[in-house]
Amino acid sequence: MKKRLLKFWGISLLCVGASSLQAQFPRSPVNPDSAGRGSKIYASNCARCHGDDARGTASAPDLLRSLAVLHDRREMLYGKELGPLLASGPNHNFKFDEKQLADLSQFLTASINGILRSGYNAQPTNLLSGDAKAGEAYFNGAGGCNHCHSTTGDLAHVGKKYAPAALQQKFLFPNYGLFIKHKVQVTVKLPSGKVYKGDLVRMDDFTVALQDESGQYRSFNRIPGTTVTTTDPFAAHSELLDHYTDDDIHNLTTYLETLK
C-alpha cells in the first residue's frame, strides 16, 4: 500500500479522536457540474506545474497528498482556505473568486475520491483477515517492532485494550489523534536567520505551523530560503509506511489482536 494513501486514511481516521466510526469515514460529496468546471480551471491554471492528474511533477508537489487540499476536502471548505494559498503562496498569484475556488475544490475532491481503492465504507472490514503467525514473524523480523516494543511489556494485553480498527491505526499512525504525548518537534529557520522551535501543528508543501513553548501559535509560508527540520519520535513507524504490504498490515493487526 502506498504511503500517501496510508497517510490519507490516517488523517481521516484519527483526527476525529473518539467520534463514531461513521464520523471517522466522512463522506465528501461531489457535485459533478462543479467538479467539471473545476477541471477546466485546473487544466488552464494548475496542470502545467502540478500535472494533468494533480499528482505533481518535478517542479511542483502532488496536490492529492497536500494536507491543505486534504483538509479542504475533509472539512468540505470548498476552497475557503485554499484561496489565500493560491493568491499569495510561493509562485502563486491567482485571484479566483469564491465560486471558482469551490469548483476547483470540488475537482480536487473528486480526484482524491478517484484514487481510493474501494471508496468509503461506514465500517472498516477485513481487519482481522490476516495470519497471526505471519504477523508475529513480521513483528520479530522484517518489521523490527521488537526493537522498541515488547509483547509482555508495553504491548501486553494490547488486543484487549483496543478494538481492531484503533489497534491498526496505533501502529500505522501513532502520531495522529488526540492525547499524543510525544509530538513531532519542528525547527523553522527563516531567510532572515531567525529561528522558531516548537510542537509541529501542521505542515504541507506551502506552510508550516507550530506551537512554541510559551503556547503561542505561529505559522510560516515556506518561501525560498526557509529551512524546516523535524524530529519525529515515531520516525520508525513512518519509515515502515514505505515498506508495508497489505498482507503485512493485516497479519500484524491480527497478531496484535491476539495479545489479550
Side-chain angles (χ1 to χ4, degrees):
M1 184 178 294
K2 299 297 184 182
K3 187 174 182 178
R4 59 184 174 216
L5 184 56
L6 285 166
K7 280 191 172 181
F8 168 76
W9 280 111
I11 294 167
S12 297
L13 281 167
L14 293 174
C15 288
V16 294
S19 301
S20 67
L21 286 173
Q22 180 65 35
Q24 287 178 335
F25 292 91
R27 293 183 180 278
S28 296
V30 172
N31 180 307
D33 293 335
S34 178
R37 293 191 297 270
S39 70
K40 295 178 181 176
I41 295 172
Y42 179 86
S44 300
N45 299 279
C46 315
R48 185 176 63 178
C49 294
H50 293 281
D52 291 337
D53 58 0
R55 294 194 178 202
T57 67
S59 60
D62 182 344
L63 294 181
L64 304 190
R65 298 175 57 192
S66 165
L67 292 183
V69 174
L70 292 172
H71 181 69
D72 175 83
R73 172 187 172 279
R74 182 176 179 276
E75 299 298 327
M76 291 184 282
L77 299 177
Y78 298 96
K80 290 179 181 177
E81 291 186 356
L82 298 181
L85 295 175
L86 292 169
S88 58
N91 301 318
H92 288 72
N93 186 27
F94 297 107
K95 308 297 183 186
F96 296 128
D97 62 29
E98 185 175 335
K99 185 174 182 300
Q100 289 173 315
L101 287 170
D103 290 342
L104 186 59
S105 168
Q106 285 284 276
F107 166 71
L108 292 172
T109 294
S111 298
I112 294 171
N113 286 349
I115 66 171
L116 300 180
R117 182 169 296 179
S118 57
Y120 285 126
N121 294 312
Q123 299 285 342
T125 58
N126 302 319
L127 293 177
L128 301 178
S129 60
D131 182 325
K133 287 292 184 184
E136 182 178 12
Y138 187 84
F139 184 94
N140 294 308
C145 313
N146 62 339
H147 296 167
C148 300
H149 301 286
S150 167
T151 56
T152 58
D154 63 321
L155 297 184
H157 313 298
V158 70
K160 188 176 182 180
K161 187 176 180 181
Y162 299 109
L167 188 60
Q168 185 177 91
Q169 297 305 310
K170 286 288 183 182
F171 70 78
L172 287 177
F173 307 103
N175 53 340
Y176 286 100
L178 301 177
F179 313 118
I180 299 301
K181 295 180 180 178
H182 305 289
K183 297 181 178 179
V184 175
Q185 299 299 300
V186 62
T187 299
V188 180
K189 184 176 181 180
L190 302 179
S192 65
K194 197 163 185 177
V195 175
Y196 295 88
K197 299 181 179 180
D199 296 336
L200 178 64
V201 175
R202 178 178 172 182
M203 181 168 69
D204 58 30
D205 300 314
F206 305 105
T207 62
V208 57
L210 60 84
Q211 186 174 36
D212 65 22
E213 62 181 4
S214 70
Q216 184 170 353
Y217 175 88
R218 298 180 182 276
S219 180
F220 309 92
N221 289 327
R222 300 182 68 175
I223 59 177
T226 300
T227 302
V228 179
T229 306
T230 59
T231 302
D232 184 357
F234 302 108
H237 288 260
S238 298
E239 180 66 23
L240 281 174
L241 294 177
D242 280 333
H243 303 288
Y244 282 128
T245 66
D246 285 353
D247 285 344
D248 292 334
I249 294 171
H250 286 104
N251 293 340
L252 194 52
T253 303
T254 303
Y255 168 58
L256 293 175
E257 200 275 337
T258 67
L259 302 178
K260 301 292 189 183

